[in-house]
């Protein structure tokens, strides 16, 4: 049974930084695609970033390129999302997701392609 547990959300001022962490427990981390999504009130869930664990190849939506970074911590079977230069538009609930034993090819892989989801963590950016 795969479980994903996110942490690190909270509040920040515009221009500030937050780091989200997603710890993966269960089988398949080392061969999977891990994604970060976000959903703002009244909006659809959108992909933010993705990383393919075997290669470390990462992908970002245009709105966060140059501001967000995604990294893997294989010893902890975790994926981190470092968010810098935060903007009010980044306010959302952020979700970690796993696409088990399959690859990533872009940041906009549909949510239905992911097998497991974390509970979400709120990020609020005030201007």
């Amino acid at each position: 049974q795969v479980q994903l547990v996110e942490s690190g959300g909270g509040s920040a001022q515009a221009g500030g930084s937050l780091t989200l962490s997603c710890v993966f427990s269960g089988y398949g981390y080392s061969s999977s695609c891990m994604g970060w999504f976000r959903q703002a009130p009244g909006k659809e869930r959108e992909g933010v970033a993705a990383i393919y664990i075997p290669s470390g190849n990462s992908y970002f939506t245009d709105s966060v390129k140059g501001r967000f970074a995604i990294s893997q911590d294989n010893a902890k079977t975790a994926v981190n999302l470092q968010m810098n230069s935060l903007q009010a538009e980044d306010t959302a609930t952020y979700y970690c997701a796993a696409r088990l034993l399959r690859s990533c090819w872009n940041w906009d892989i549909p949510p239905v392609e992911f097998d497991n989801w974390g509970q979400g963590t709120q990020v609020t950016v005030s201007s």
Side-chain angles (χ1 to χ4, degrees):
Q1 182 94 12
V2 169
Q3 279 193 313
L4 303 176
V5 179
E6 301 118 333
S7 62
S11 299
Q13 295 284 331
S17 299
L18 286 171
T19 299
L20 307 182
S21 181
C22 172
V23 176
F24 179 116
S25 60
Y27 174 74
Y29 167 85
S30 61
S31 302
S32 298
C33 167
M34 299 295 294
W36 282 99
F37 291 77
R38 65 187 180 188
Q39 188 167 19
K43 294 191 176 181
E44 290 189 358
R45 191 167 297 191
E46 63 172 354
V48 175
I51 186 167
Y52 184 45
I53 298 300
S55 66
N57 289 343
S58 58
Y59 311 89
F60 298 90
T61 185
D62 285 347
S63 64
V64 307
K65 278 181 183 175
R67 300 191 297 122
F68 289 14
I70 190 169
S71 62
Q72 59 194 85
D73 183 341
N74 294 342
K76 298 180 180 178
T77 60
V79 173
N80 300 315
L81 185 69
Q82 173 70 42
M83 305 185 294
N84 300 318
S85 301
L86 283 164
Q87 303 169 356
E89 299 75 41
D90 296 318
T91 295
T93 300
Y94 284 70
Y95 298 90
C96 171
R99 190 169 189 263
L100 295 177
L101 307 178
R102 292 177 291 169
S103 65
C104 306
W105 61 88
N106 209 335
W107 58 268
D108 63 350
I109 300 172
V112 69
E113 291 283 339
F114 287 79
D115 305 290
N116 298 89
W117 292 82
Q119 79 283 1
T121 186
Q122 178 67 36
V123 171
T124 303
V125 183
S126 56
S127 55

